[in-house]
Amino acid sequence: MFKTYMPPTNAEAARWVVIDAAGMTLGRLATQIATLIRGKHKPDYTPNVSNGDFVIVLNAAQIVLTGNKMQGKMYTRYTGYSGGLRLESAEVALQKHPERVIEHAVFGMLPKGRLGRTLHTHLKVYKDEIHPHAAQQPVKVEFPFGKREGK
């Protein structure tokens, strides 16, 4: 009889990764971030275990949305009061709080439930190049696609 291999869930083994989001398309960037956070790039990936990496995203204010999404894509939130539905276009959201735009895209690609809430803490997004995670010695990662030149 064979025993099923279960990878260890130790946060000390997880590495810290830095991604520069300047000029990258939002959806393509979000899929790469979600893959790193879930740990799907590792050979011992297990769907029900949090064994992915911590991801630091820099220059969130410089991401690119293609087509008519700057005016057409709407973010909704509800205040809790009657008539409290608030709509915000992607253009306004990028000016006010660009971190939330990337977080919203990535969190939609993560599992819902207890594991998803744990994985939410593995994403750190900053609107410029300054971040307080130098002590974790993050590694810079380049993706083969996603950059948009000339637009």
Side-chain angles (χ1 to χ4, degrees):
M1 178 156 51
F2 293 103
K3 296 234 178 189
T4 303
Y5 171 72
M6 222 30 210
T9 56
N10 48 355
E12 296 84 23
R15 64 183 183 146
W16 285 72
V17 175
V18 174
I19 298 172
D20 186 14
M24 293 192 78
T25 308
L26 176 63
R28 292 176 182 269
L29 174 67
T31 56
Q32 294 296 320
I33 293 170
T35 301
L36 290 172
I37 290 175
R38 287 289 312 265
K40 287 188 166 189
H41 62 289
K42 295 183 177 182
D44 61 348
Y45 166 72
T46 307
N48 62 332
V49 175
S50 171
N51 60 353
D53 297 333
F54 288 83
V55 177
I56 303 167
V57 181
L58 305 177
N59 296 321
Q62 299 175 15
I63 60 168
V64 177
L65 294 172
T66 59
N68 196 20
K69 293 186 193 95
M70 278 293 205
Q71 293 79 25
K73 185 172 180 60
M74 301 301 280
Y75 291 99
T76 61
R77 63 184 179 86
Y78 186 66
T79 63
Y81 293 96
S82 45
L85 181 67
R86 300 289 184 254
L87 294 174
E88 192 173 59
S89 70
E91 187 174 24
V92 173
L94 274 173
Q95 291 171 356
K96 283 186 180 178
H97 32 75
E99 302 91 2
R100 289 190 204 165
V101 174
I102 293 179
E103 288 173 358
H104 186 270
V106 173
F107 292 165
M109 297 178 185
L110 294 178
K112 282 54 174 180
R114 188 184 311 169
L115 177 63
R117 287 188 296 273
T118 302
L119 295 176
H120 283 186
T121 63
H122 291 205
L123 177 64
K124 315 292 181 190
V125 184
Y126 301 98
K127 65 179 172 183
D128 48 11
E129 292 195 9
I130 302 167
H131 67 87
H133 305 288
Q136 283 76 20
Q137 300 170 347
V139 179
K140 188 167 176 78
V141 173
E142 293 289 332
F143 293 124
F145 59 87
K147 293 274 186 189
R148 306 235 347 144
E149 286 91 16
K151 292 202 175 190

